[in-house]
Amino acid sequence: MNATHGEPPQVPATAAQGTVPHAPPPSAADSAFAPGDGRTWARVSRRHTLARGLAATLWALPCALGGGLVGWRNGGVPGAVVVVSLVVVALAVTWIVAELTSRSYGYAERDDDLILTSGVFVRRLVVVPYARMEFVDVTSGLVDRWLGLATVRLHTAAAATDARIPSLPVREAGELRDRLAHRGEQRSTP
């Protein structure tokens, strides 16, 4: 209760609208990327950042080791420090971009199409009509499998409208695959 007026406390607008806590605040330009029809974006797993960061770290370790050895042979300790430092900076940037990317992905299933949004520096919105879908597949790399994640890919007749939704929990990815395949079959039948 609000002590001054005896009213229940007000819920912030973002919580009342059901937005995802890790989503960035909307701006005026974001209205062009809204899912429409009063829908909200379904988001990828919060483990997206961890999956992308771990994959980058697994690549960075041998690069730092090999680069450090080459730097040491050609420039001594300062050369090794420079090369390893560059790898560490690149790895840190990769983790930051992975977090920003995680916040940018969203998808919404509408009556006649699936819409996807993504992009940190350049926003992108893709509308994939169910009738245009040729097939849907699910993939999962080593790190993704270890974290229980999968990527759903939608393939259409036009490669420009192919789309992917990364870092979904495996069960959710399977359910989405089945729903999309069913809707695609319904729409493609005359």
Side-chain angles (χ1 to χ4, degrees):
M1 290 288 202
N2 188 333
T4 58
H5 300 294
E7 300 172 2
Q10 296 295 320
V11 176
T14 56
Q17 295 169 354
T19 57
V20 177
H22 71 278
S27 69
D30 286 338
S31 64
F33 298 95
D37 300 333
R39 289 180 166 83
T40 58
W41 292 113
R43 298 290 177 182
V44 299
S45 172
R46 295 281 297 159
R47 291 176 286 181
H48 175 83
T49 303
L50 181 61
R52 298 305 166 257
L54 285 176
T57 302
L58 291 174
W59 279 103
L61 290 173
C63 289
L65 181 62
L69 289 173
V70 169
W72 178 69
R73 293 189 93 204
N74 293 323
V77 173
V81 169
V82 168
V83 171
V84 171
S85 297
L86 289 174
V87 172
V88 168
V89 168
L91 184 59
V93 169
T94 301
W95 277 86
I96 291 167
V97 170
E99 175 61 25
L100 294 173
T101 302
S102 173
R103 296 176 186 202
S104 76
Y105 276 108
Y107 68 96
E109 299 174 60
R110 301 193 302 184
D111 295 335
D112 296 318
D113 51 37
L114 176 76
I115 56 174
L116 302 105
T117 187
S118 64
V120 175
F121 302 109
V122 177
R123 282 303 273 161
R124 182 175 184 209
L125 180 81
V126 176
V127 179
V128 182
Y130 297 129
R132 303 276 298 166
M133 288 191 311
E134 290 187 347
F135 66 95
V136 180
D137 68 7
V138 178
T139 59
S140 187
L142 289 174
V143 174
D144 285 341
R145 283 195 311 261
W146 182 64
L147 294 172
L149 301 174
T151 297
V152 175
R153 295 179 194 269
L154 299 97
H155 300 273
T156 63
T161 56
D162 284 359
R164 64 187 274 280
I165 306 168
S167 300
L168 293 176
V170 172
R171 181 176 179 182
E172 185 179 333
E175 291 170 354
L176 179 62
R177 176 206 59 217
D178 293 344
R179 284 193 309 272
L180 294 176
H182 179 72
R183 288 178 177 168
E185 288 172 3
Q186 286 180 328
R187 302 301 191 283
S188 66
T189 312

